[in-house]
């Protein structure tokens, strides 16, 4: 078994909050597909990264899923869906 971590931003690229129902649908969908999911949602984490000379910041939650093996194609498609 392996753990996959999904770092999910709580704000869109335009800075508006993602609706809580959408977050719940994502968590429920992952739990349904993989038989369970753990979402760390109580206090959003701060994701920081450097872009050019400025430090960027995101509010994120982390979702963990246990999988037997990594399905690269599925995860690539799922990432594209989340980004859209």
């Amino acid at each position: 078994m392996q753990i996959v971590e999904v770092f999910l931003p709580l704000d869109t690229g335009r800075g508006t909050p993602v609706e809580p129902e959408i977050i719940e649908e994502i968590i429920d969908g992952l739990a349904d597909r993989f038989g369970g999911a753990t979402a760390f949602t109580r206090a959003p984490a701060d994701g920081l990264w450097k872009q050019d000379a400025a430090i960027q910041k995101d509010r994120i939650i982390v979702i963990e899923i246990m999988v037997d093996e990594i399905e690269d194609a599925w995860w690539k498609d799922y990432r594209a869906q989340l980004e859209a």
Side-chain angles (χ1 to χ4, degrees), residues 18-52:
V18 175
E19 297 291 327
E21 295 82 16
I22 293 173
I23 301 293
E24 289 177 25
E25 287 176 15
I26 292 169
I27 296 166
D28 290 347
L30 289 168
D32 184 53
R33 176 168 175 83
F34 296 102
T38 301
F40 299 93
T41 61
R42 294 240 172 153
D46 291 329
L48 303 173
W49 75 96
K50 189 172 184 178
Q51 184 175 12
D52 299 322

